[in-house]
C-alpha cells in the first residue's frame, strides 16, 4: 500500500492543479468534436500533443484509415501517448473518447463554451467524457511530477467514434495490436459512472434495420398499391403488444445501473418511409405516391444471460408471425452491428487497485456497477484480449447526452486523486 506520506504528496499535487484541471476541461469542450459526422478529431489530438510531450510522453497521431466513416473530409484521428519508466513494470493505460453527440435543444448555456458555474463545468461532452480525459491527464501528470522514476509505463489515448461504436478509434487500435495483454496490463476508461463506482462492463447490443416492402401507386388510388408504412404500423403494434412486455420480463444478475436497465430493452432509433425529406428551404408539396418502402432502425440491449442468436431469433419470429396473418406482408432484416456483454471479474487486479484507492480517497467502499450502454471496453476485451479493464471516472451517467450537460469540479479532483493513487499502487516498487 502506498505510504501515507506519498499519498499526501500526491493528493496535494492534485489540489495544486485544480485550476489547470478546470482549464483543460474547458479547452477540450471548446473543440466541437461532433459525431456524426466526426468533426475536429485532428484538432483535439493536436491540442493535447504538446502538453503530453512536455510531461515526458512520446506522442503519436494515428489515423484509422479504412475504418467505417473514415474519409478525407472526416478522417478518424486518434492520439496515443506513452511514457516509459526507468525500470521494468506493468503498463497502465487511460483511454478516453474525444467525440461528442449532437447538441439538441434546451440549453441555457453555450454548449461549446465550457462555462464554469456553481462548481460545475458545463458543455457538450463535459461529463461524457472530456472531463474524464482531463482528469486522467492531470492524474498522470501529477504522478510523474512526484515520481518521475516510476516503473513500467503510462499510456494515454484519446480516440474517435465511441459514440458511433468505436470502430474508428479503439476497435481500430485494438486491431493494430495496441491493446494486447503483452503490451498493456491495466486499462481504465474514465467514463462518467460516478466517482464512487467501479464499472465492470456493459450490456450487449444489437443494431439492425427492419424494412417493410410495398408497391408504389398513385395516392388517389391507394388500393392499386401496397403501403409499406401501414405494414410497418403492424410491426410497431406487435412490438407494443408482445415484444416490449417480453423484454420487460427478462432480468439480469449483472449490477446494471440504473435499475430500469436491469431488464432487456429495445429502442426504435429512427423511422423512414415514403417520400424523402426535402432540402431545407423547399416549400413545395410532396408527390401523391403510396410508399413502397419503410425502414426502422432498432437498438436492442441485451443481458449477459441472453444469447445473441436468441435475441435475433425473437425479432425474426415476430416478423414471421405478422407475415402469417397479414396479406402482402414482406420484410427484410439487415444487421448493422452487434456486441456481446462484457464484465470484468471483481477480483481482477485493476478492480482491486482502483477500489482500494476509492476507499482511501473517499473514505467509503465503492459500488460495483455495469453500464446500461456499451463503451470501448468491448473492443479492448474482444479484439485486444485484454480482460483487466474497467471504467472509472467523474461525472453522473444520467447527464450524458442531455442539455446543460456538466461535470463537477470536486468530482474531477477526487477522481484524479483516485487515479494518481492507482498509478502509485501499480508503478511504484515496494
Amino acid at each position: 500500500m502506498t505510504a501515507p506520506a506519498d499519498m499526501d504528496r500526491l493528493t496535494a499535487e492534485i489540489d495544486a492543479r485544480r485550476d489547470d484541471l478546470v482549464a483543460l476541461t474547458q479547452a477540450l469542450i471548446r473543440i466541437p468534436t461532433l459525431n456524426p459526422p466526426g468533426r475536429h478529431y485532428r484538432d483535439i489530438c493536436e491540442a493535447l500533443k504538446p502538453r503530453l510531450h512536455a510531461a515526458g510522453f512520446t506522442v503519436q497521431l494515428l489515423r484509422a484509415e479504412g475504418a467505417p466513416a473514415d474519409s478525407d473530409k472526416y478522417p478518424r484521428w486518434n492520439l496515443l501517448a506513452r511514457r516509459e519508466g526507468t525500470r521494468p513494470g506493468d503498463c497502465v493505460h487511460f483511454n478516453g473518447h474525444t467525440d461528442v453527440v449532437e447538441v439538441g435543444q434546451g440549453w441555457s448555456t453555450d454548449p461549446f463554451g465550457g462555462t464554469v458555474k456553481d462548481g460545475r463545468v458545463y458543455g457538450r461532452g463535459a461529463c461524457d467524457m472530456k472531463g474524464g480525459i482531463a482528469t486522467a491527464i492531470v492524474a498522470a501528470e501529477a504522478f510523474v511530477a512526484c515520481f518521475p522514476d516510476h516503473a513500467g509505463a503510462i499510456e494515454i489515448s484519446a480516440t474517435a467514434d465511441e459514440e458511433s461504436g468505436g470502430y474508428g478509434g479503439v476497435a481500430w487500435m485494438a486491431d493494430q495490436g495496441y491493446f494486447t495483454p503483452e503490451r498493456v496490463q491495466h486499462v481504465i476508461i474514465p467514463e462518467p459512472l460516478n466517482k464512487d463506482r467501479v464499472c465492470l462492463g456493459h450490456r450487449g447490443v444489437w443494431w439492425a434495420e427492419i424494412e417493410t416492402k410495398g408497391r408504389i401507386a398513385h395516392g388517389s388510388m391507394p388500393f392499386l398499391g401496397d403501403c409499406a408504412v401501414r405494414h410497418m404500423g403492424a410491426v410497431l403494434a406487435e412490438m407494443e403488444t408482445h415484444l416490449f412486455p417480453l423484454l420487460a420480463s427478462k432480468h439480469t444478475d449483472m449490477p446494471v445501473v440504473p435499475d430500469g436497465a436491469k431488464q432487456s430493452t429495445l429502442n426504435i432509433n429512427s423511422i423512414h418511409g415514403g417520400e424523402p425529406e426535402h432540402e431545407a428551404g423547399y416549400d413545395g408539396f410532396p408527390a401523391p405516391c403510396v410508399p413502397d418502402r419503410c425502414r426502422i432502425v432498432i437498438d436492442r440491449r441485451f443481458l449477459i444471460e441472453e444469447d445473441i442468436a436468441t435475441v435475433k431469433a425473437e425479432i425474426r419470429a415476430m416478423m414471421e408471425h405478422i407475415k402469417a396473418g397479414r396479406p402482402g406482408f414482406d420484410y427484410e432484416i439487415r444487421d448493422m452491428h452487434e456486441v456481446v456483454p462484457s464484465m470484468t471479474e471483481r477480483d481482477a487486479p485493476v478492480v482491486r487497485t482502483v477500489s482500494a484507492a476509492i476507499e482511501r480517497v473517499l473514505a467509503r467502499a465503492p459500488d460495483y456497477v455495469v453500464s446500461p450502454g456499451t463503451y470501448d471496453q468491448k473492443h479492448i476485451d474482444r479484439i485486444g484480449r485484454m480482460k483487466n479493464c474497467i471504467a472509472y471516472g467523474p461525472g453522473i451517467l444520467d447527464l450524458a447526452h442531455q442539455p446543460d450537460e456538466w461535470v463537477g469540479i470536486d468530482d474531477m479532483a477526487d477522481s484524479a486523486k483516485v487515479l494518481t493513487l492507482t498509478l502509485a499502487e501499480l508503478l511504484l516498487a515496494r
Side-chain angles (χ1 to χ4, degrees), residues 3-84:
D6 287 340
M7 180 177 171
D8 290 344
R9 185 179 174 194
L10 288 166
T11 56
E13 189 70 29
I14 295 295
D15 288 336
R17 295 169 183 261
R18 183 183 177 95
D19 289 345
D20 182 47
L21 176 55
V22 172
L24 178 56
T25 304
Q26 290 178 293
L28 296 177
I29 290 169
R30 289 166 182 162
I31 303 173
T33 46
L34 286 162
N35 179 33
R39 301 183 189 276
H40 301 290
Y41 283 169
R42 177 148 193 157
D43 292 341
I44 199 165
C45 292
E46 293 283 6
L48 290 172
K49 182 178 179 179
R51 178 178 184 128
L52 291 167
H53 182 74
F57 287 80
T58 300
V59 183
Q60 301 177 71
L61 266 59
L62 305 168
R63 179 177 169 182
E65 293 192 57
D70 178 70
S71 67
D72 289 340
K73 186 174 183 180
Y74 298 114
R76 267 45 196 172
W77 284 101
N78 302 282
L79 175 145
L80 177 64
R82 183 179 177 97
R83 188 185 195 279
E84 298 286 354

Side-chain angles (χ1 to χ4, degrees), residues 283-297:
D283 61 358
F285 296 106
C289 292
V290 174
D292 59 0
R293 292 289 185 273
C294 187
R295 294 172 288 112
I296 62 171
V297 172

Side-chain angles (χ1 to χ4, degrees), residues 202-221:
H202 52 72
R203 295 190 299 174
V205 59
W206 174 47
W207 280 62
E209 183 180 73
I210 299 174
E211 180 179 280
T212 52
K213 302 178 180 183
R215 186 174 67 255
I216 194 169
H218 199 290
S220 68
M221 296 173 286

Side-chain angles (χ1 to χ4, degrees), residues 243-259:
L243 182 60
F244 285 116
L246 171 65
L247 300 185
S249 71
K250 299 185 179 191
H251 296 275
T252 184
D253 290 330
M254 302 172 81
V256 187
V257 291
D259 284 344

Side-chain angles (χ1 to χ4, degrees), residues 115-402:
T115 301
V116 174
K117 183 174 64 175
D118 299 329
R120 302 170 175 177
V121 185
Y122 285 83
R124 176 54 83 223
C127 80
D128 186 17
M129 60 176 298
K130 291 179 175 178
I133 294 173
T135 296
I137 289 172
V138 169
E141 291 172 339
F143 173 75
V144 167
C146 292
F147 301 104
D149 61 345
H150 62 83
I154 304 169
E155 284 192 342
I156 297 172
S157 60
T159 51
D161 280 5
E162 188 274 344
E163 297 291 2
S164 55
Y167 297 99
V170 169
W172 181 86
M173 289 183 64
D175 277 329
Q176 304 302 308
Y178 289 106
F179 286 105
T180 64
E182 297 78 21
R183 188 179 180 281
V184 176
Q185 286 70 54
H186 312 269
V187 179
I188 300 170
I189 305 174
E191 288 274 11
L193 273 301
N194 297 19
K195 65 183 179 182
D196 57 354
R197 290 172 166 176
V198 175
C199 182
L200 303 173
H202 52 72
R203 295 190 299 174
V205 59
W206 174 47
W207 280 62
E209 183 180 73
I210 299 174
E211 180 179 280
T212 52
K213 302 178 180 183
R215 186 174 67 255
I216 194 169
H218 199 290
S220 68
M221 296 173 286
F223 44 83
L224 298 179
D226 190 12
C227 181
V229 172
R230 288 182 64 185
H231 285 315
M232 188 60 77
V235 174
L236 299 179
E238 185 71 12
M239 286 181 172
E240 293 290 346
T241 303
H242 295 109
L243 182 60
F244 285 116
L246 171 65
L247 300 185
S249 71
K250 299 185 179 191
H251 296 275
T252 184
D253 290 330
M254 302 172 81
V256 187
V257 291
D259 284 344
K262 285 185 169 67
Q263 64 182 38
S264 297
T265 59
L266 183 142
N267 177 53
I268 300 169
N269 179 266
S270 63
I271 184 166
H272 305 277
E275 187 150 331
E277 292 287 334
H278 295 297
E279 294 180 3
Y282 178 80
D283 61 358
F285 296 106
C289 292
V290 174
D292 59 0
R293 292 289 185 273
C294 187
R295 294 172 288 112
I296 62 171
V297 172
I298 60 168
D299 174 356
R300 170 74 163 87
R301 305 293 169 136
F302 61 97
L303 313 173
I304 205 164
E305 294 87 353
E306 295 182 274
D307 178 73
I308 181 65
T310 302
V311 168
K312 294 181 178 183
E314 286 173 349
I315 297 295
R316 189 163 295 279
M318 178 190 73
M319 300 301 288
E320 286 296 312
H321 175 73
I322 298 169
K323 185 174 183 177
R326 187 174 177 86
F329 185 86
D330 194 14
Y331 71 93
E332 186 174 351
I333 301 173
R334 289 183 286 272
D335 284 342
M336 298 176 71
H337 76 93
E338 63 193 63
V339 174
V340 298
S342 178
M343 192 163 70
T344 299
E345 296 293 333
R346 280 271 298 267
D347 63 351
V350 73
V351 177
R352 295 198 310 268
T353 307
V354 172
S355 298
I358 291 171
E359 192 154 5
R360 292 188 74 186
V361 171
L362 302 180
R364 60 180 181 271
D367 290 328
Y368 298 91
V369 301
V370 167
S371 174
T374 67
Y375 55 93
D376 280 330
Q377 182 170 335
K378 57 184 177 282
H379 302 309
I380 293 165
D381 180 357
R382 305 300 173 184
I383 303 173
R385 300 177 291 107
M386 236 299 297
K387 302 294 185 181
N388 194 37
C389 175
I390 60 167
Y392 170 76
I396 299 170
L397 181 62
D398 293 358
L399 297 174
H401 302 194
Q402 294 281 347

